[in-house]
Amino acid sequence: MASVRRYLRVPRELMPSEIFKQESQSPGKIVIQIILLQMFYYLTAAVLFYGWATLCGYDINLKQWLFTWQDIDFSNSFGISLSALWLIDSLICVFFLTVIVGRSKLAWDFAITIHAINLVVVWTHTGLFPSLAWFVLQFLSTLILVFLGTWFTRWRELKDTFFEGMVDTESVSAPSSQPASQPLTGNIELRDLEAQK
């Protein structure tokens, strides 16, 4: 049994933890991040479409809704609902962009890459150039992903860089003789950032 496990193991250099430790400009890491983001983009949309179709009583046609542009129309409720679900998908993908990419200066690139790949997929699947309504929807979706993705990744970078270790927890800890129901009377001491340089 031990010999079979040895063959089932993923090589160390192909493990996700090793790939994400590589430098940010590594082609292997960038390709894996693009694949993961695109996969989560379509998977999240499929889950949203499935739930919406089930609740509203529509026949589920995920392939049509994901990979074509014909149903995106702002003149009927079906097209508006589908457009709203794509925008919600972009809001959810901000989380994936923050976790997978994690760098604010790369958020723009990955957000635009997701939508460029989506354009190529839709164009090749339908064989027709998408409509203006589809492009407006993709533009709004790109704006959501670019600006919120940049904001959240920047917040994550700043939180890790500037705010970690600022609170001195030794002066805050309660003595063992003080009951837990009584409020803490100790002061919180902030460390001086200038002294840390």
Side-chain angles (χ1 to χ4, degrees):
M1 185 66 175
S3 63
V4 173
R5 286 185 191 167
R6 182 176 54 177
Y7 293 113
L8 294 177
R9 288 186 185 165
V10 176
R12 182 174 175 86
E13 55 273 353
L14 293 179
M15 295 194 65
S17 61
E18 290 297 319
I19 290 173
F20 285 108
K21 284 182 186 175
Q22 298 171 5
E23 62 182 62
S24 65
Q25 302 301 324
S26 167
K29 181 178 178 181
I30 290 173
V31 167
I32 287 177
Q33 287 174 329
I34 289 171
I35 291 170
L36 284 174
L37 284 173
Q38 201 70 36
M39 183 181 66
F40 283 124
Y41 182 71
Y42 287 129
L43 183 66
T44 305
V47 169
L48 287 171
F49 293 157
Y50 181 80
W52 171 69
T54 304
L55 288 175
C56 295
Y58 289 112
D59 291 332
I60 298 171
N61 194 355
L62 290 179
K63 189 176 179 183
Q64 169 89 21
W65 296 338
L66 286 174
F67 304 120
T68 62
W69 54 266
Q70 284 91 356
D71 291 330
I72 303 298
D73 188 9
F74 301 135
S75 63
N76 58 38
S77 63
F78 181 77
I80 292 173
S81 299
L82 209 56
S83 301
L85 288 173
W86 274 114
L87 294 177
I88 292 170
D89 177 43
S90 290
L91 284 172
I92 295 170
C93 284
V94 167
F95 170 74
F96 295 122
L97 182 71
T98 304
V99 171
I100 293 172
V101 176
R103 304 270 318 269
S104 61
K105 70 179 187 177
L106 298 176
W108 286 67
D109 300 333
F110 282 95
I112 293 172
T113 302
I114 287 172
H115 290 86
I117 291 172
N118 190 29
L119 170 65
V120 171
V121 167
V122 167
W123 196 354
T124 56
H125 186 265
T126 60
L128 300 169
F129 197 69
S131 67
L132 180 63
W134 187 87
F135 274 108
V136 168
L137 174 66
Q138 293 305 306
F139 179 73
L140 293 174
S141 177
T142 303
L143 286 180
I144 289 172
L145 208 52
V146 163
F147 290 115
L148 288 180
T150 302
W151 189 83
F152 276 107
T153 52
R154 187 169 293 155
W155 177 81
R156 183 178 175 198
E157 287 173 340
L158 291 176
K159 180 182 72 93
D160 293 342
T161 304
F162 292 111
F163 302 119
E164 186 175 303
M166 283 185 68
V167 177
D168 187 13
T169 56
E170 293 173 4
S171 64
V172 178
S173 60
S176 59
S177 61
Q178 187 177 15
S181 62
Q182 292 182 353
L184 292 175
T185 56
N187 295 329
I188 296 175
E189 180 182 333
L190 297 178
R191 295 184 184 165
D192 186 16
L193 290 177
E194 296 293 325
Q196 292 180 1
K197 288 184 180 180

